[in-house]
Amino acid sequence: MAEQKAQPVIWARPRPSRGPAPKITLEELARHAIEIADEEGIDGLTMRRLGAGLGRGTMSVYRQIQSKSDLIDLMLDEAVGEIELVSHDTWREGLHWLGHTIRDHALRHPWMLMLLNEGPYFGPKGIGYTEHVLGLMSELDLPIDEIMLAIGLVNSYARGFARQEVAQTRRLAEVGLTVEEWMRLNSGYVRGLLESGKYPQFNRVIIEAEQPHMVQDEAFEYGLQRVLNGVAAGLPGAS
């Protein structure tokens, strides 16, 4: 089988000029695909499933896009386009908004957590989002590399926190338990670990620590503030 020739991103390709006009737009395709991925996960999204959900055959989807990779690009762009871009008076307020926005958006569309780090992303709505985010620290007149690194720290923290939340929710859903039920189910095992005396630091976590019992929103805010403190300490002119 001949290798498929690499092509530029879907937005850089000319739209077909022959034949009847498509009955559904790329944005509509993307929105319907997002609904499927939100409900069934990205593995549940196939071109056949998408076509059936739209009341069309698989080939009608392929007349619009050439591959699932194109579809993923369109979905990411459409999903990022949902974010309301808000201006802020200071860089810290801006990065605080960014952290919460990334986490909230990831929890709304968990499938995005697996896809956003796979490679370059240049959708038109995504570019608008990126332009806005890079401008959150413009008041500091810093080199663009410093701005990108600072924003990357917030991105990594927020996505990592959301990824852990999604994984925990999925794991508990698989066994049909709430967090409290899971803890009660395993309380005897944990008690044995405590009584063994072999794990003094683990004992401290169970007996003394507040963090494991914090509401997720509170735990996220606690960590985000410390990330922002680290950014402030490392950037000249940031306070």
Side-chain angles (χ1 to χ4, degrees):
M1 180 181 295
E3 292 186 7
Q4 185 175 0
K5 184 178 179 181
Q7 297 190 70
V9 293
I10 189 169
W11 301 279
R13 300 177 215 156
R15 300 297 296 152
S17 57
R18 296 181 180 180
K23 295 181 179 180
I24 187 168
T25 67
L26 294 178
E27 288 77 13
E28 289 170 329
L29 275 177
R31 283 196 291 272
H32 190 72
I34 288 170
E35 290 176 4
I36 295 173
D38 285 348
E39 293 177 6
E40 304 176 25
I42 200 65
D43 292 336
L45 175 64
T46 64
M47 302 297 252
R48 176 176 294 182
R49 173 74 175 82
L50 178 60
L54 293 167
R56 293 170 171 80
T58 305
M59 291 311 299
S60 67
V61 176
Y62 276 113
R63 278 193 287 271
Q64 283 281 75
I65 53 179
Q66 297 183 12
S67 66
K68 189 173 180 180
S69 178
D70 286 345
L71 179 61
I72 294 297
D73 284 347
L74 291 169
M75 291 169 63
L76 288 171
D77 196 56
E78 194 66 25
V80 171
E82 298 171 357
I83 297 173
E84 181 182 0
L85 304 180
V86 181
S87 298
H88 299 85
D89 293 331
T90 68
W91 71 267
R92 185 163 183 138
E93 290 175 359
L95 293 193
H96 183 264
W97 164 83
L98 178 63
H100 280 278
T101 296
I102 291 169
R103 177 192 174 219
D104 293 345
H105 200 245
L107 294 179
R108 188 159 61 250
H109 302 302
W111 52 271
M112 293 184 70
L113 289 167
M114 297 189 298
L115 300 171
L116 282 173
N117 295 325
E118 288 191 355
Y121 173 62
F122 299 110
K125 295 177 182 178
I127 289 292
Y129 167 81
T130 299
E131 179 71 16
H132 179 80
V133 169
L134 291 174
L136 294 174
M137 301 184 73
S138 58
E139 68 186 88
L140 299 176
D141 193 27
L142 294 167
I144 192 65
D145 285 324
E146 293 278 6
I147 292 174
M148 291 172 66
L149 288 170
I151 289 170
L153 286 174
V154 176
N155 265 308
S156 296
Y157 170 70
R159 287 181 187 162
F161 195 98
R163 187 175 288 111
Q164 183 176 1
E165 289 181 277
V166 169
Q168 182 183 61
T169 300
R170 184 180 296 123
R171 176 67 184 276
L172 290 173
E174 289 174 353
V175 296
L177 297 174
T178 66
V179 174
E180 291 75 16
E181 290 169 340
W182 185 90
M183 292 178 70
R184 283 198 297 271
L185 182 65
N186 291 282
S187 60
Y189 173 69
V190 173
R191 190 179 305 111
L193 294 175
L194 293 174
E195 292 172 353
S196 73
K198 297 178 180 179
Y199 311 103
Q201 300 307 316
F202 177 75
N203 284 20
R204 291 192 63 200
V205 171
I206 298 299
I207 296 171
E208 301 176 27
E210 296 181 12
Q211 193 268 343
H213 309 287
M214 293 174 71
V215 176
Q216 292 289 70
D217 290 348
E218 295 176 357
F220 178 77
E221 178 66 18
Y222 178 93
L224 180 58
Q225 289 297 334
R226 278 141 188 84
V227 170
L228 298 179
N229 289 345
V231 172
L235 295 178
S239 59

